[in-house]
Amino acid sequence: MNKSGKKIKKIVLAYSGGLDTSIIIPWLKENYEGCEIIAVSGDVGQGTELDGLEEKAIATGASKLYIEDLKEEFITDYIYPTLKAGAVYEGEYLLGTSFARPIIAKRIVEIAKKEGADAICHGCTGKGNDQVRFELTIKAFAPEMEIIAPWRIWDIKSRDEEIDYAIAHNIPLKISRETNYSKDKNLWHLSHEGLDLEDPANEPMYEKEGFLEMGLSPMQAPDTPTYVTIDFEKGVPVAVDGEKLSPVAILEKLNKLGGDNGIGLVDIVENRLVGMKSRGVYETPGGTILYKAHKVLETLTLDRDTMHYKELIAAKYADLVYFGQWFTPLREALDAFVDSTQQTVTGTVKLKLYKGNMINAGVKSPYSLYDEEIATFAEDEVYNQADADGFINLFGLPLKVKAMLDQKRNK
């Protein structure tokens, strides 16, 4: 029954096939008698995690599974706007899970409407950010839709108890209690939480076989550097090493290059939206390269005031994405500002990748604001250094006046 007392006959479930959603299907069948469960997986680049998913969903009680290919839309409509904004949450997190949730939830709403569902269900915990990201998107596109969040209502209290439930119901799992990290993977990143990582005093086991999945530890990376060039048009990457590629192919290539060179590992304690701190380890090899290259190009093509103001809105943009407020008027308004700033962010950036480091190796743009003749330390004919005298006098006038008046008052 739903909150109004109406019987729920059909539920659309956001289904990943991971521990949470694997046990949710039989739990829904037990608690919503006679209800049809339709599973939906949004493919944003999980790769082999989607293998065998249909058989598993149906075997555990779903009537069918939709697997929706969202990879290119994910990059062009969610990753690229965030990249162009330069949005980084708390200075380090490149928002890999955050902007994957709105696109998945939006597609789930579309399928729920198509199927005539009474409710949408997700497997997000009551402690996490994802419950907010999913539900704000559902409210934006289907405000009347019932939302079922088992973690907020069932008797299961831990991942260990989830495993117990799975074993009791003969549900196959790809993890064990010892490898039971909470992970989220897509084209952009892979996150790791839980187990030994819950104590911030523990160093992540980067060199342990099987821990990292998208690349190597910097300690294991080659002793010779790798050079890469990235071409941008209006803030959007269009080519790698001179080869024009699709958005998916660009990210896949940069993930390989970055991963092989130990790029993009971040270990942070972040502030969740719900108020607690959590520790996470993130792998974002290709995304880290793109952020670096994009920022380098902007140093050449944006004027000072625009660049500095854009840094201010980048922090707000990151908050909106992290907090699940993607489909909001403010995010759309900020996009309009960002797109205006990107009209001249066109050019080529070369980076040297070496053992987790990204070293600038050259940048050029037809819209460069850098004038070598003005900036040179050698003799030039275009800049009168004596002009600085009057500029400093005017710029420092408030400071000088205050100091003079303070002296008078202190006599």
Side-chain angles (χ1 to χ4, degrees), residues 89 124-133 152 270-278 322-324:
Y89 185 67
C124 309
T125 75
K127 288 185 176 181
N129 303 302
D130 279 345
Q131 58 182 335
V132 182
R133 296 164 184 157
R152 303 206 293 257
E270 68 196 62
N271 288 295
R272 285 183 179 174
L273 173 58
V274 295
M276 70 186 69
K277 290 183 182 291
S278 66
Y322 189 86
F323 297 162

Side-chain angles (χ1 to χ4, degrees), residues 11-120:
I11 300 171
V12 170
L13 168 67
Y15 185 72
S16 68
L19 176 58
D20 296 323
T21 56
S22 291
I23 69 169
I24 281 176
I25 293 177
W27 182 87
L28 289 173
K29 299 292 282 187
E30 289 173 357
N31 288 273
Y32 295 85
E33 187 178 350
C35 184
E36 179 185 1
I37 312 298
I38 297 170
V40 179
S41 293
D43 181 2
V44 287
Q46 299 93 311
T48 56
E49 289 183 10
L50 298 172
D51 293 349
L53 219 55
E54 183 174 14
E55 295 85 350
K56 182 176 180 179
I58 292 173
T60 51
S63 63
K64 57 182 162 181
L65 170 69
Y66 287 86
I67 297 180
E68 301 293 292
D69 186 352
L70 305 173
K71 294 190 290 293
E72 184 150 333
E73 182 185 350
F74 175 45
I75 295 174
T76 58
D77 293 359
Y78 296 80
I79 291 177
Y80 283 172
T82 309
L83 168 68
K84 289 189 291 183
V88 183
Y89 185 67
E90 297 189 336
E92 293 194 87
Y93 175 43
L94 298 186
L95 298 163
T97 298
S98 309
F99 49 35
R101 297 309 183 230
I103 184 174
I104 294 171
K106 181 172 180 284
R107 185 65 185 125
I108 287 170
V109 169
E110 292 167 354
I111 291 173
K113 288 182 175 181
K114 170 186 167 185
E115 289 282 353
D118 304 300
I120 291 174

Side-chain angles (χ1 to χ4, degrees), residues 252-298:
E252 289 176 340
K253 183 166 185 175
L254 292 178
N255 277 337
K256 180 69 168 63
L257 289 171
D260 287 348
N261 287 278
I263 303 296
L265 295 179
V266 172
D267 174 9
I268 57 174
V269 174
E270 68 196 62
N271 288 295
R272 285 183 179 174
L273 173 58
V274 295
M276 70 186 69
K277 290 183 182 291
S278 66
R279 196 271 189 94
V281 171
Y282 298 99
E283 301 179 58
T284 320
T288 301
I289 294 172
L290 284 176
Y291 261 78
K292 173 69 171 179
H294 183 263
K295 186 173 183 179
V296 169
L297 184 56
E298 285 192 328

Side-chain angles (χ1 to χ4, degrees), residues 192-253:
H192 308 256
E193 292 180 320
L195 297 181
D196 56 301
L197 298 178
E198 290 190 344
D199 183 352
N202 292 332
E203 180 180 1
M205 298 180 290
Y206 293 134
E207 284 79 38
K208 182 179 179 181
E209 185 177 355
F211 181 72
L212 297 179
E213 297 181 27
M214 295 184 74
L216 305 171
S217 159
M219 300 290 288
Q220 298 167 319
D223 293 330
T224 55
T226 299
Y227 286 88
V228 61
T229 63
I230 304 167
D231 295 339
F232 290 85
E233 292 180 5
K234 295 185 177 181
V236 173
V238 294
V240 176
D241 291 332
E243 182 184 6
K244 293 262 186 181
L245 296 169
S246 70
V248 172
I250 284 175
L251 194 48
E252 289 176 340
K253 183 166 185 175

Side-chain angles (χ1 to χ4, degrees), residues 84-86 298 306-314 341-342:
K84 289 189 291 183
E298 285 192 328
T306 299
M307 184 175 176
H308 288 184
Y309 194 78
K310 185 170 177 287
E311 288 173 349
L312 296 178
I313 72 100
T341 70
Q342 299 299 290

